[in-house]
Amino acid sequence: MTGDSASFPEAFDEAFPGLDADSGHVLIPEPAADPALRALADRQTRGLTECLITEAPSDCRRITAVFALTLRSEASRVVHSTDRASTNAAPGPDALRLARELRRTTARLPRGPWWRMTLDLRVDGGAQVDFDYGDEPFPDEHLFAPEDYRADLKAFDWSAEKLPTWLSAFVSHGGRQTRSPRKAAVPADTRSARSAQDVSPEEMPGLTETWARWAVLSAAFVAAGSERGPRMQPSHARFKGSTRSGSTLWILPGDRAVLSGGVWDAPSLTDAYRGDAPHPELFAGAPIWVADPLLDERGKVGLMSFCYWWESGRWLRGESPKAEDLATAIPGVWTSETVTDIVSKLASRVTRDTETAALRLVTAAEGGYAERRMLAEVFGNDEGADLDGAYHQLMMAGVANRTDLPQLPRHQAIAIVRRYMLAHDLDNPDYRAADLVADRVDCGWMVYAPVPKGEMRIGRGIFFVADDEVLETTDTQNSYPNQYAKEVARRYRERWGL
């Protein structure tokens, strides 16, 4: 308990005029419930809100609380807000007891037990109590182990039809959508007899086009400052859609790739977890290299609804849906025109010139020669557009013009060496980090602390920082600086395929 509640009106109804004398607002939505049971649940809800008020400090103006419960696990939090600050607190034992009792009561209503309950109480009037049955996935801090939910389902005699698809998958996927390298290596004659199906070029663009268009969309979303949308990493692309659908694309040596992910409301998942249809064999006919390290994270929780792989110049799939059914899980890579339209709309001002510039960017990326100025032509008029971040997406994807790589500024090269020296305790009176200078060499900078005038010293360290910020160290005893600079440039060109 955290102090008295003198600042609250003594009469509960005065504190919450929006609640009627019997139940407050409609807390229990099931219309076909036993009236006596509903009345009991309403009284328990009222008791819980009164308990939370009693536990609140005297200057509290608002109380928000959340209870996440199963029969075996629980997590809860209360936030007390004053006019000046908010503080977190744990609910007292009485509040926890009342929350558990309320859940046992509501479990007997037609919809069954809730998994989370949130309360929002204001001292100036009004209260809201909401029950969460899992229509949306729970936050990590309120997600318990699958066996905890299975225990609830058994105790309350729930049928699969009542569970949302994501929770059905969480508690019963059984690892069926995972494919460890060991499982993938099972001899073909002992696997499913089903074979892979070809995906027509009209249905899904080729790998080169898919990868380049994904990269352009990633760059455009970064330029526009969006936290969502596709993103690129070397050999790896990912996409999180606005509806919890998404996918990942992995590029492998030898012109191979794996594209997998999940459509949030895929009928195949819903039907399978409800027992209305068998689970699709997503890996039917898949080669040995289609395995967990290359599969979308949704497979670990049973929510992967498709898996495609690229081999021998074509896309293939097992029992995955057609590409037209994956639109919410894959960025709009379907045609150059689709990408152009999306990129144009991400710019603050869409004109015919913007659309022309966007098409030029898409075409260049598909050919592997996109340039930073092309991004500027699309987003240059947008205040605060992140062109550097956008261009980095194109570079990581390998679709940027390799002769268009930016030169590292002198001050950044010196700062990189200075941090290195301080981290490795190399700063000393004879070679001070504060004295560093930099001379431009091919593809980077030679950074060093000059010898004081009139002195000669042998074996002084010299640092080289390439334009991609890779740091190399040497000393004049073991190599000639000019010769070493040529080796630094050679390694830089090899990294970037120049």
Side-chain angles (χ1 to χ4, degrees):
M1 307 301 174
T2 55
D4 63 55
S5 56
S7 65
F8 288 93
E10 291 186 6
F12 182 80
D13 291 335
E14 292 180 17
F16 301 103
L19 299 175
D20 64 39
D22 295 325
S23 64
H25 73 325
V26 179
L27 301 173
I28 314 299
E30 293 80 0
D34 179 356
L37 193 61
R38 284 182 59 88
L40 174 60
D42 287 343
R43 288 195 301 272
Q44 290 173 330
T45 303
R46 190 181 188 83
L48 175 58
T49 58
E50 290 175 326
C51 183
L52 290 171
I53 292 173
T54 301
E55 293 178 353
S58 59
D59 59 346
C60 184
R61 308 302 301 168
R62 178 180 179 183
I63 304 167
T64 56
V66 58
F67 296 87
L69 303 176
T70 69
L71 293 176
R72 297 172 49 167
S73 302
E74 57 187 39
S76 55
R77 184 183 73 250
V78 178
V79 178
H80 297 136
S81 300
T82 68
D83 292 333
R84 292 177 294 180
S86 296
T87 57
N88 292 326
D94 290 340
L96 283 171
R97 174 182 55 79
L98 290 168
R100 296 186 195 108
E101 291 176 357
L102 175 59
R103 186 170 189 264
R104 284 194 292 268
T105 298
T106 55
R108 296 154 58 193
L109 294 169
R111 194 169 183 186
W114 44 264
W115 308 103
R116 297 168 73 238
M117 173 178 57
T118 58
L119 302 95
D120 189 351
L121 316 176
R122 297 175 183 271
V123 298
D124 58 355
Q128 182 173 340
V129 182
D130 294 307
F131 298 124
D132 184 351
Y133 295 91
D135 294 335
E136 296 287 331
F138 306 138
D140 289 343
E141 64 267 25
H142 295 154
L143 183 64
F144 305 122
E147 53 268 25
D148 293 345
Y149 296 105
R150 286 196 289 266
D152 262 28
L153 299 179
K154 182 178 180 180
F156 295 115
D157 194 27
W158 264 34
S159 62
E161 288 79 5
K162 287 188 175 182
L163 279 185
T165 300
W166 79 265
L167 190 52
S168 290
F170 182 71
V171 302
S172 63
H173 66 81
R176 62 171 51 88
Q177 292 185 348
T178 61
R179 195 177 198 238
S180 67
R182 176 174 292 182
K183 188 186 296 185
V186 171
D189 56 359
T190 64
R191 297 184 205 157
S192 167
R194 295 182 175 87
S195 58
Q197 310 170 49
D198 279 331
V199 180
S200 71
E202 291 76 22
E203 188 179 346
M204 185 78 188
L207 178 58
T208 299
E209 292 79 12
T210 298
W211 180 259
R213 294 168 187 172
W214 201 310
V216 170
L217 290 170
S218 300
F221 274 86
V222 170
S226 173
E227 295 294 330
R228 295 188 175 183
R231 293 295 188 272
M232 306 299 298
Q233 294 177 351
S235 302
H236 178 208
R238 57 185 172 85
F239 174 67
K240 293 182 179 180
S242 59
T243 59
R244 297 186 183 273
S245 300
S247 57
T248 55
L249 171 60
W250 280 97
I251 302 292
L252 285 78
D255 192 31
R256 297 172 297 163
V258 178
L259 171 63
S260 62
V263 174
W264 173 244
D265 55 353
S268 61
L269 291 179
T270 302
D271 292 344
Y273 285 115
R274 287 182 176 176
D276 297 334
H279 285 270
E281 294 189 25
L282 301 180
F283 310 123
I288 189 174
W289 44 268
V290 176
D292 286 343
L294 303 175
L295 295 175
D296 189 82
E297 290 291 314
R298 290 167 178 80
K300 295 180 180 179
V301 293
L303 290 175
M304 186 164 61
S305 64
F306 65 91
C307 179
Y308 286 35
W309 54 94
W310 177 268
E311 186 179 31
S312 302
R314 69 195 194 284
W315 289 109
L316 298 103
R317 63 172 173 243
E319 294 185 349
S320 292
K322 292 185 177 181
E324 63 188 25
D325 297 325
L326 313 181
T328 59
I330 297 176
V333 298
W334 312 108
T335 66
S336 297
E337 291 73 18
T338 305
V339 181
T340 298
D341 183 58
I342 296 173
V343 171
S344 299
K345 290 178 179 177
L346 286 169
S348 61
R349 288 184 290 178
V350 181
T351 65
R352 185 173 297 277
D353 289 341
T354 304
E355 295 174 350
T356 301
L359 179 58
R360 185 159 47 244
L361 172 63
V362 174
T363 303
E366 291 178 354
Y369 57 88
E371 298 180 8
R372 190 182 188 281
R373 65 175 178 82
M374 297 175 180
L375 287 164
E377 290 172 354
V378 180
F379 298 99
N381 293 323
D382 296 4
E383 184 176 351
D386 186 2
L387 298 184
D388 293 323
Y391 188 64
H392 192 255
Q393 292 285 298
L394 300 179
M395 286 196 297
M396 284 196 294
V399 299
N401 186 342
R402 292 171 180 172
T403 63
D404 190 41
L405 296 173
Q407 176 178 304
L408 183 70
R410 182 193 303 267
H411 72 276
Q412 289 187 20
I414 293 176
I416 289 170
V417 175
R418 183 172 290 134
R419 286 195 298 268
Y420 177 85
M421 289 182 62
L422 295 176
H424 293 79
D425 199 24
L426 298 178
D427 187 38
N428 59 72
D430 291 332
Y431 202 102
R432 298 177 55 205
D435 295 336
L436 292 174
V437 298
D439 295 336
R440 184 66 189 174
V441 295
D442 188 17
C443 300
W445 297 90
M446 181 171 66
V447 184
Y448 59 97
V451 177
K453 187 175 181 179
E455 296 184 16
M456 178 180 294
R457 297 181 185 176
I458 299 175
R460 288 173 67 79
I462 294 179
F463 303 88
F464 290 88
V465 183
D467 284 331
D468 56 359
E469 302 189 14
V470 173
L471 170 66
E472 298 191 31
T473 64
T474 184
D475 62 68
T476 54
Q477 283 184 321
N478 298 323
S479 62
Y480 295 101
N482 290 341
Q483 181 60 38
Y484 199 89
K486 293 180 181 178
E487 293 299 311
V488 170
R490 179 182 62 80
R491 285 187 283 272
Y492 171 82
R493 290 190 173 94
E494 286 180 351
R495 286 195 296 271
W496 292 96
L498 298 176

